[in-house]
Structures are given as C-alpha cells and as structure tokens.
Amino acid sequence: MLEIMGYAAGALTTLAFIPQVLQIYRTKSAKDVSLAMFLLFTIGVALWLGYGIMAHSFPVVAANATTLVLSFVILYFKWKYTRSSNI
C-alpha cells in the first residue's frame, strides 16, 4: 500500500507540470514564471532525485527524474522566450 501511495503521489505531482509546459509552449511566453522559484524548485527536485537513488526508492527516483526533465523544459522556455522578447 505504501508503494502504491508513492507511485500515485509521484505520478500526480509530476503530471501537474504538463499543463504548464504546454501553456508556455502554446503561448510562447514564460513571463509569469518566476525564475527564482523555478531555479530553487529544480535544485530541490535534483536533491530529491539524489535521495531517491541513495535510498533505492524507485517511486521517488521515477517521479523526480521526470519532474526534473519537465523543470528543465520550463527553465529552457523561460530562457528562450525571455531572450526572444528582448531582441
């Protein structure tokens, strides 16, 4: 039961980022995304990933690895669309 709860929590918190990624991609704007918040969040996710690896917890690793990729996509869009709006 604990393992199932871990997978469910990981899946839901990870899937929560997909609408944000799609919204930024569709509008080509990330101006409302706080860079400081997302940098801190991404560092936290990387630390959780490291924790999951060291603790041999697959649900933590899977969720945080996926979330880290999505976070990097959002940070990339933030950089790309902020840069292109300043040109």
Side-chain angles (χ1 to χ4, degrees):
M1 182 65 169
L2 185 61
E3 195 84 358
I4 293 170
M5 185 183 292
Y7 282 110
L12 292 172
T13 57
T14 299
L15 290 173
F17 282 87
I18 293 175
Q20 185 68 61
V21 170
L22 293 175
Q23 176 72 13
I24 293 169
Y25 180 74
R26 282 187 200 119
T27 63
K28 306 290 189 250
S29 173
K31 67 179 177 156
D32 294 329
V33 174
S34 167
L35 180 60
M37 176 273 189
F38 246 87
L39 285 172
L40 291 170
F41 176 79
T42 302
I43 292 167
V45 170
L47 291 171
W48 271 114
L49 176 59
Y51 170 84
I53 290 168
M54 288 187 268
H56 304 286
S57 175
F58 185 74
V60 174
V61 171
N64 285 288
T66 306
T67 302
L68 191 60
V69 169
L70 293 171
S71 292
F72 280 133
V73 169
I74 290 171
L75 286 171
Y76 169 74
F77 283 160
K78 176 73 173 168
W79 172 79
K80 178 181 178 179
Y81 297 135
T82 300
R83 201 178 124 213
S84 66
S85 68
N86 290 333
I87 295 175

